Structure formats: structure tokens, C-alpha cells
Amino acid sequence: MIEFENVFFKYDPKTDYVLNDITFKIDKAEFVAIVGKNGVGKTTLIKHFNGLLKPNDGIVRIDSLDIVKEPISKMASIIGFSFQNPNHQLFAQNVKKELEFGPKNLKIEESVRDATIQNLVDTFQINHLLERSPFELSGGERRLVSIASVLTMNQQILVLDEPTYGQDYRQKKHLGLFLKKLIEEGITVVVVSHDMDFILDFIPRTIVLSNGKIAADGETVKVLSDQTLLQNADLVSPLLLDLCYSLQQIDDTFTTSINEQEVFENILSMLSKKQKMSR
Amino acid sequence: MVETAIKIDNVSFKYRNADSFALKRVTFEVAEGEFILLAGFSGSGKSTLLKCLNGLIPHFHAGRFGGTVEIFGESTLESDTPQLAKQVGFVFQNPENQISNLTVEREIAFPLENFGVPKNEIISRVDELVALLNMEEIRYRSPYSISGGEQQLTAIAAALALDPKILVLDEVTAHLSPRSAVHILTLLNELNKKHKKTIIIAEHRLDRCLNFADKLAFLEKGQLKVFGDLQAVFQSKEFPTNMLPKIPSLFLKLDKKIGLLGDKTSTIPLTVDELVATLNNR
């Protein structure tokens, strides 16, 4: 469980707070997205999860442990972190060694380790990359390997910063489904992302950061449908929603939705209604 | 007559140590002033193809290179990379890999300094670019203390410093917030339309480019599967349906169900406004 209680943080005493009285709670086995414009403090926020940054004021608890009092190594055994830029994370000679590094460090039993890695390799379909150097891979492949290398360690909480960066829709889908499976197994997953479509498709709860505060926290569909809120947080509304609002201009009974299938059905019924009227 | 800006003829490339070719006999031409989208799954060879345009391949990356790439009639094999840098501005996936100076202003001036441009000319060129891209607020800041979108803007400004006719961009919006991404794409549209830059961009967010791109090239496993204007590509069987952007995809699904194409329209709507208009006219 992740708990923030009135957390304040700034990098420089002369500037404004980057985190300004942040309070929220994420339960075990929750799947949560954190969104907000570039530079709003999303990465600053998640760096508090494992004590990489410590609050100026307020309390951060992970599994009831106060991060200020615990060593980072202790937090590392609970929380897996995948950073935005895979180049800051990858270093091994080949992808296989990259994947083995984490579990070896944590002294995870070899059979467990190999099974976990095999499962990840199958899920992400990266078998053909195992013998290659991580630095020879394309940007998207590299990102995928850096995420997989974190998932090898079986931690209880996973924090992924921009995991869909450079991924095509197939890889996004594999990743989304895999993370959902982890949730079912009781793992908590927090994703920082700008990828509204990925969030809509897979992540049920969304927290919006804006000006150092939490501007919204709730069901993704509700949060991402709120145009005023999105505008204030400097985010762009999903394309489907734009479409729905435009369709409402020509038919005020048109029901908005951000589910593609629902929009499809709604358009069909709008067209058939129109046809009946013109007859 | 419009000049041919880029001519890619039968280009293949295999990285040293790789088992297979990253590019396989790719051939297409880009006319001056065109805006080209480059699409493909990751690992399909998009970045590799782009690196052929400014000569990073084969001059910098070791491997086996076949075919020819011509930039305004000059083969990249016969030009060196500094020469090509004047013709082709390049913006990488990750601005952090590109940024190396202490202020945004110095970053923009860097390519000009490398070419020994006189100081007063450098200053006026930087002034020009800062105004063009609306960068007054960040001009004297450290490129490491600005947001990702601003870093990418800085990288674009630096790529434009030598006033290249062609601008090549490799997934430059990937880790920007949707709003910054829209801002950058709008800017590229302006550079294309107003300033006549030829633009070729690898991009996963096709949705946001459909109102201004001219053509689309789709790569799969190093092969160019489809190339042409957007209408032709989206109607082509070679273009995977699950890669279709949202609006065309929705329209084609509707078309399949109730037949919209060929009725009153033969074009696929690409934007929200076009789709609404098409549905309204029915």
C-alpha cells in the first residue's frame, strides 16, 4: 500500500513547492495512472515512493513503512522502478544478462528466476533479442527490455515511468494485458504516462497532477471525460471524446463515450434515427 | 517543376553483428516541400531509414550498405556528414542524447559555431530562431532545467540553425505530454507550409498528423510495404487495419457495416471535423 499524507517537496528553498500538500492512498492490487503536463512533478512524486527523494514535510508510507526512516535498499526489495529513459538503466552485455541481473542481485532462486524470465520473454515476444546487446536495439525494443528487466524481480509494487514510450500498439497491448494479470496476482502498479489511449484502455484509476496539487483522482473514464479539468491541467482530451462532442452539435441526443465500440454503436443508432426522420 | 528532395533507391542496410537486414531494398522519392509520415512497428527499421538521410548511415554506423540515397541529386556516399548536415536537419528520439550546452541559446548556436559562422551572424540567426519558435522565455535557461517539450523545441531549433531544406525527425513527440506534442506537430506543419521545409517524421501518434501530412510510408521488417498519399495508404490492403488511426478506423468499420464509401463520398475522413461532416451529409 502507498500512502501520502500532506506531502510537501521543493528542490530549491527559493522556489515554489513542486509537491504542495499531496494526500492520497493506493491500495494493494490497484492499477493507477498519474498524469499531468511535462514538468508538473510526476517523476518527483514517484521518486518519493522508494525514498530517492524525501518529503520536506508530511509522511510517505509504503506498506506501513515510513520511507524517511527506511534505507533505500529496503524499499528496493518492495518496489520495482522503471525509469523514463532506458539508457539510464540498461548496461549488460546482452539482453539475457540484463534480465538476469536484478534477480541475481536479490539472490532469487535460479529456477524461479528462469521461469519468470521465460514468462516475460514469451509475453513480450522478445526471444529473438536475447543474445543481442541492449544498445543495438531500436528505441521501442530497448524500452521493452528495460521494463521486462524490472518485472524480473517479483516486487510487490511496480512503478513505471512512461512505459509505452516508443512502443507500437501491439507491444502496448501485450504490456497492458500483462500488467492487468499482475494486478490479479495482487501486485500494485503505478504508471506515469502521457498516453491517454493506453490509460483509457487498461488503467481504471487516474490521478491528475496540476500546479503541485492533485487536481483530480478517480475513475479514469470520468476523469478523462472532464474537458474543463483536462484543459486546466494542460492535457488534451481523447480524440473519441472530441468526436462525441462534435456529433452532439449535429444531434443533441448523441451520448458521449470514450469506449470505441460504444461510440461506434452510438453513431449507427444516430444514423438510423436520421434515416427514419428523413423518410 | 518541383525538385526531388530525397531519392532512396534500392537501399539495404545490415548493422555489424546483426543477423538480418534492418532495411531491405527500400525505394521511394520525396518531392521538395512534402510532409511525409513514416510508420511501422518498433524495430521495423524507421530510425535506420532516417539515419540514411543525413549520412549517419553508412558514414558513422558500421555495417553493410547497398543502394543509393540522394539528397537534392547528391549521393550521400559522395558527400560527408558535415556537408549533409547543411541540407538535412536531424532531431532524435530523445533530446537528452542531443543536448550538450549550458544554455538553450548556446545549444542553438552550436551547429553554427561548428561551421565557423561569424559571431554577429550567429547572434542574428539565433534571434531569428528564438522568435520563430517562441522561445524567448527559455532562451537563457539551462537545457537541463526545462521541460521535455521545451528540450525537444530546443533540439528542433538547433536542427534548423543551418537552415536545412529538409528536416528529419525521429519520434520526437514520444515522451511529450499530449498538449506539447500537439504544439510541436503544429509547429512542424507551419515550418512545412510557411517555410517550405521538406519534412519526414517517424511517428506513432498518426492521429494528430492527418490534417497536414501529404504521404505515408509504412515499413515492416525493413521492407517498404506501402507508400503514397494518405487516402491510398488507408485503403490499401498492405496497411494493417490495427495500425489505422482512430478516425479512419472508425469510419472504415462503419463503412463495412452500412456502406458509406462510394455512396456520397469516395474519400476516407481523416479528422474529427471531416468525419462529422461526412456523417452529417448522409
Side-chain angles (χ1 to χ4, degrees):
Chain A
M1 193 166 67
I2 303 166
E3 263 181 294
F4 272 58
E5 234 178 76
N6 307 103
V7 170
F8 289 84
F9 179 82
K10 54 167 104 179
Y11 286 95
D12 178 343
K14 284 173 292 210
T15 56
D16 293 337
Y17 279 106
V18 181
L19 304 180
N20 190 352
D21 200 1
I22 300 278
T23 299
F24 67 89
K25 211 194 246 178
I26 295 174
D27 284 327
K28 184 177 161 65
E30 263 203 281
F31 195 177
V32 180
I34 298 176
V35 304
K37 67 172 172 177
N38 289 103
V40 77
K42 303 185 295 290
T43 306
T44 304
L45 179 78
I46 59 172
K47 279 187 176 164
H48 281 75
F49 288 8
N50 62 354
L52 278 177
L53 293 174
K54 298 190 164 66
N56 299 139
D57 200 5
I59 299 173
V60 178
R61 284 193 208 91
I62 305 295
D63 280 352
S64 313
L65 300 171
D66 183 339
I67 60 140
V68 175
K69 293 177 187 147
E70 303 295 331
I72 291 180
S73 59
K74 167 84 182 167
M75 302 321 295
S77 66
I78 305 173
I79 301 193
F81 236 88
S82 166
F83 296 100
Q84 237 174 71
N85 188 341
N87 298 343
H88 294 170
Q89 195 174 329
L90 299 171
F91 63 95
Q93 215 178 337
N94 62 36
V95 170
K96 188 156 178 277
K97 288 191 176 147
E98 190 70 54
L99 295 176
E100 286 170 351
F101 179 78
K104 266 188 183 164
N105 250 355
L106 295 179
K107 306 208 164 38
I108 290 174
E109 206 184 310
E110 206 178 306
S111 59
V112 178
R113 178 190 83 198
D114 289 349
T116 311
I117 291 178
Q118 193 52 49
N119 182 21
L120 287 166
V121 166
D122 292 342
T123 306
F124 293 143
Q125 303 182 358
I126 49 176
N127 215 348
H128 62 293
L129 304 178
L130 287 178
E131 299 301 325
R132 293 180 54 194
S133 155
F135 297 99
E136 280 174 10
L137 308 182
S138 81
E141 289 168 341
R142 216 179 285 178
R143 188 73 190 96
L144 210 56
V145 169
S146 75
I147 294 169
S149 70
V150 172
L151 299 177
T152 53
M153 292 178 276
N154 296 326
Q155 286 128 324
Q156 285 308 298
I157 300 173
L158 281 174
V159 182
L160 310 175
D161 200 351
E162 294 293 349
T164 62
Y165 163 59
Q167 308 287 303
D168 61 53
Y169 80 89
R170 286 189 307 197
Q171 292 165 329
K172 282 186 196 179
K173 199 170 160 195
H174 292 152
L175 179 68
L177 292 174
F178 183 77
L179 293 177
K180 269 186 141 170
K181 219 166 68 194
L182 290 181
I183 301 290
E184 282 163 22
E185 289 166 14
I187 310 285
T188 309
V189 181
V190 178
V191 167
V192 168
S193 181
H194 289 131
D195 192 335
M196 298 296 151
D197 292 322
F198 180 75
I199 296 173
L200 272 177
D201 287 347
F202 295 104
I203 310 182
R205 175 178 164 196
T206 296
I207 296 176
V208 183
L209 278 189
S210 176
N211 294 323
K213 301 214 176 254
I214 291 185
D217 179 358
E219 207 187 320
T220 296
V221 180
K222 287 214 181 91
V223 170
L224 295 189
S225 306
D226 186 339
Q227 261 187 330
T228 331
L229 170 77
L230 290 177
Q231 220 148 41
N232 291 340
D234 210 20
L235 295 166
V236 178
S237 60
L239 210 60
L240 277 177
L241 197 65
D242 285 348
L243 176 65
C244 291
Y245 285 129
S246 298
L247 288 171
Q248 270 181 341
Q249 306 275 316
I250 55 172
D251 176 358
D252 51 18
T253 65
F254 190 88
T255 336
T256 60
S257 165
I258 36 181
N259 175 293
E260 206 171 321
Q261 189 56 31
E262 272 175 40
V263 173
F264 175 76
E265 306 283 345
N266 293 351
I267 291 178
L268 283 181
S269 68
M270 177 187 89
L271 289 176
S272 75
K273 204 172 70 187
K274 222 173 126 190
Q275 223 164 23
K276 272 181 212 154
M277 299 242 292
S278 64
R279 258 185 220 150
Chain B
M1 207 189 92
V2 187
E3 245 187 289
T4 303
I6 303 168
K7 189 173 175 192
I8 298 170
D9 189 15
N10 214 6
V11 165
S12 299
F13 184 71
K14 187 163 123 49
Y15 286 98
R16 194 180 59 193
N17 300 333
D19 305 327
S20 58
F21 276 85
L23 292 175
K24 296 168 195 160
R25 297 180 175 275
V26 173
T27 299
F28 69 98
E29 279 182 30
V30 178
E32 187 173 12
E34 279 188 320
F35 196 118
I36 311 286
L37 294 174
L38 181 59
F41 301 118
S42 44
S44 61
K46 298 189 296 296
S47 301
T48 306
L49 179 62
L50 295 180
K51 283 181 187 159
C52 292
L53 301 179
N54 69 345
L56 277 179
I57 290 174
H59 294 299
F60 191 75
H61 288 281
R64 268 174 65 192
F65 180 81
T68 53
V69 175
E70 284 176 19
I71 303 297
F72 288 104
E74 298 251 7
S75 163
T76 55
L77 286 169
E78 278 142 42
S79 333
D80 52 19
T81 38
Q83 233 176 315
L84 284 161
K86 287 187 189 172
Q87 301 266 29
V88 183
F90 202 101
V91 187
F92 291 89
Q93 259 173 32
N94 192 339
E96 279 181 32
N97 295 348
Q98 197 159 351
I99 284 169
S100 58
N101 286 274
L102 289 176
T103 64
V104 165
E105 181 184 64
R106 290 302 294 261
E107 192 64 44
I108 303 172
F110 190 59
L112 298 160
E113 286 170 350
N114 277 343
F115 276 91
V117 174
K119 200 172 172 196
N120 54 343
E121 274 179 48
I122 293 184
I123 294 170
S124 69
R125 182 74 187 135
V126 171
D127 284 345
E128 229 176 280
L129 286 163
V130 166
L132 177 71
L133 306 187
N134 263 324
M135 298 172 69
E136 286 82 2
E137 270 180 35
I138 54 167
R139 179 170 184 166
Y140 302 108
R141 297 199 31 206
S142 155
Y144 299 99
S145 73
I146 55 181
S147 75
E150 291 163 343
Q151 284 183 340
Q152 206 53 285
L153 206 58
T154 305
I156 291 174
L160 287 170
L162 296 169
D163 201 19
K165 286 184 174 166
I166 301 170
L167 198 55
V168 174
L169 308 107
D170 192 355
E171 283 182 40
V172 291
T173 71
H175 50 185
L176 301 186
S177 75
R179 196 166 283 266
S180 317
V182 170
H183 175 69
I184 294 282
L185 292 170
T186 312
L187 171 75
L188 294 177
N189 179 29
E190 215 178 276
L191 287 171
N192 173 247
K193 299 289 171 323
K194 259 205 221 151
H195 303 275
K196 307 290 169 221
K197 301 286 179 202
T198 305
I199 294 186
I200 174 161
I201 179 172
E203 180 63 51
H204 279 302
R205 293 182 213 228
L206 296 179
D207 285 301
R208 306 280 175 187
C209 310
L210 299 185
N211 51 340
F212 50 78
D214 295 305
K215 288 181 180 167
L216 192 149
F218 173 63
L219 276 180
E220 191 173 65
K221 292 180 182 156
Q223 281 179 313
L224 184 69
K225 284 284 178 183
V226 210
F227 176 66
D229 68 49
L230 299 179
Q231 289 296 334
V233 169
F234 294 154
Q235 297 194 32
S236 156
K237 286 197 177 64
E238 295 287 345
F239 193 73
T241 47
N242 40 17
M243 196 173 232
L244 275 168
K246 278 232 153 60
I247 299 295
S249 154
L250 192 61
F251 176 82
L252 288 172
K253 269 191 223 155
L254 288 166
D255 174 56
K256 216 170 175 185
K257 184 104 180 167
I258 52 172
L260 292 167
L261 271 177
D263 182 9
K264 280 180 187 166
T265 175
S266 58
T267 54
I268 299 175
L270 303 175
T271 61
V272 167
D273 291 346
E274 285 174 22
L275 178 58
V276 172
T278 310
L279 295 176
N280 200 21
N281 284 336
R282 202 181 135 79

